[in-house]
Amino acid sequence: MSIRKIETPLVSNGYPLTRSEQGISWLVPSDPSRPLEALREQYREQGYLWLRGILNRERVLAFRRRFFEAYASTGLLAEGTDPSAGIFAGNFVSHEVRQRLLMEIVRWPEYEAFCLAPEIIGFYEKFFGGKVHLLKRKIIRYTAPGDKNCTPGHYDLIYLRAGSDSVCSSWIPLGDIPVEMGGLAYLEHSDALGRKMEAEFTAKNATLSPEERISAYNKNMSAGGWVGKDLAALADLIQGRWLLADYAAGDMVVHSPYMIHGSTENHDPLQRMRLSTDIRYQLQGDKIDPRWNHDHFVGDNL
């Protein structure tokens, strides 16, 4: 599958995403209405499912509007624009204001209701084959054009080591996110690499205290718990490609806790901000990482 021509640079934390055009391709989309076993097999083979249109598009866009309305008085949005468009004014909000609002938003009843949408719960109950549990710690973030800070390459289990490794992550674009806006990129066939890395970390961590052993910030980990900021170098480890997508409001990506992923800079020509949320589900009764039983708060070391 050939990738369309992308006019903007694909850069993550100062590094190019790939060394050549052959190093990128597209995510494979999945129809949520496909037979369940076919979706499970696709997840096992790929490490992810890009479920196109599984959520109500208008509900997603309504939440996007609600989110940016909370920033109306901060100077973040271009004057006179519709909050749902999320047009960046060119003024970065202070770290303190940004964190305060984000900590409020993850506690909104409207956000909790969004994360418990019937379409999401219904999918996971079928996928897992039983009642599911939404981990309380949930993350929502926006990325403005010109922000050089991107999510480095990582796999989620680094931050969830005290629980079940059968947990699934849902990354949900809150609005349309074409490649130019810096949506998530996934390293093709990297579930196996993530499992290999975690096995190596487990061996290295064996002599640490229980608290240190599960930490993404122990002495055997890189700063921040990332496996790498140079995404092209990570791809070289398995001669792999980074998979990109033009995400749309209503989509949801489900990925393995071992699947390596990261993001690129937002170079949207319309100055739209990327907004997304990532939430996690597991089967009720499976072991839960106790650190994820609380709302996200600044300084929770996750």
Side-chain angles (χ1 to χ4, degrees):
M1 184 182 296
S2 61
I3 194 162
R4 67 169 173 81
K5 185 174 178 57
I6 299 170
E7 302 295 340
T8 58
L10 296 173
V11 177
S12 180
N13 293 299
Y15 297 95
L17 177 69
T18 183
R19 307 195 196 286
S20 69
E21 290 186 5
Q22 286 68 48
I24 54 177
S25 189
W26 292 112
L27 282 179
V28 176
S30 301
D31 182 346
S33 67
R34 287 189 71 199
L36 184 61
E37 194 47 51
L39 290 175
R40 285 176 176 152
E41 180 61 25
Q42 191 175 12
Y43 178 83
R44 287 191 291 266
E45 290 180 357
Q46 298 178 162
Y48 71 89
L49 292 172
W50 173 23
L51 300 169
R52 300 297 309 273
I54 190 172
L55 303 177
N56 181 283
R57 177 178 174 85
E58 296 309 313
R59 188 178 184 199
V60 173
L61 294 177
F63 185 81
R64 178 180 173 86
R65 171 187 289 276
R66 175 77 175 89
F67 178 94
F68 282 120
E69 283 176 344
Y71 283 82
S73 64
T74 67
L76 180 69
L77 302 177
E79 189 174 350
T81 60
D82 185 337
S84 66
I87 305 298
F88 183 47
N91 305 309
F92 288 100
V93 174
S94 72
H95 180 73
E96 291 74 19
V97 170
R98 176 173 177 150
Q99 292 288 29
R100 176 179 59 79
L101 284 171
L102 288 175
M103 295 305 96
E104 290 177 4
I105 290 167
V106 296
R107 291 161 175 77
W108 282 353
E110 302 98 312
Y111 178 54
E112 181 76 8
F114 180 88
C115 296
L116 292 169
E119 305 97 314
I120 301 176
I121 297 298
F123 167 78
Y124 274 117
E125 287 187 342
K126 292 176 182 176
F127 188 72
F128 280 120
K131 294 293 184 181
V132 295
H133 174 76
L134 166 65
L135 297 186
K136 191 167 182 62
R137 185 182 188 276
K138 303 179 289 292
I139 301 170
I140 189 167
R141 57 170 62 90
Y142 69 85
T143 303
D147 188 345
K148 302 297 183 183
N149 295 309
C150 303
T151 302
H154 69 286
Y155 58 91
D156 289 351
L157 197 73
I158 287 174
Y159 307 96
L160 289 150
R161 285 175 171 151
S164 168
D165 74 345
S166 295
V167 63
C168 282
S169 294
S170 274
W171 183 80
I172 302 174
L174 299 172
D176 297 337
I177 303 180
V179 169
E180 289 79 1
M181 287 178 71
L184 277 198
Y186 289 88
L187 182 56
E188 188 176 27
H189 305 312
S190 63
D191 178 271
L193 176 59
R195 291 175 188 273
K196 178 177 180 289
M197 287 181 167
E198 186 60 17
E200 291 171 351
F201 285 130
T202 298
K204 290 180 182 178
N205 296 342
T207 60
L208 302 180
S209 68
E211 184 179 55
E212 291 177 305
R213 196 177 304 141
I214 64 170
S215 174
Y217 308 100
N218 67 45
K219 67 180 184 179
N220 295 317
M221 304 297 299
S222 62
W226 316 114
V227 296
K229 286 191 172 183
D230 184 344
L231 300 188
L234 285 175
D236 288 345
L237 292 176
I238 55 173
Q239 288 75 55
R241 300 179 297 179
W242 283 98
L243 305 179
L244 309 176
D246 289 324
Y247 301 106
D251 294 351
M252 178 173 76
V253 183
V254 175
H255 65 256
S256 152
Y258 294 103
M259 190 74 178
I260 294 174
H261 54 287
S263 68
T264 57
E265 293 175 8
N266 182 350
H267 289 283
D268 183 57
L270 301 178
Q271 293 295 293
R272 293 170 297 178
M273 285 179 279
R274 186 202 106 183
L275 181 64
S276 62
T277 187
D278 42 298
I279 55 181
R280 291 161 181 86
Y281 290 85
Q282 61 184 67
L283 197 62
Q284 281 187 12
D286 280 359
K287 186 179 181 182
I288 297 173
D289 188 322
R291 300 171 298 173
W292 289 71
N293 276 333
H294 310 280
D295 285 317
H296 179 34
F297 62 89
V298 177
D300 66 4
N301 290 324
L302 288 169

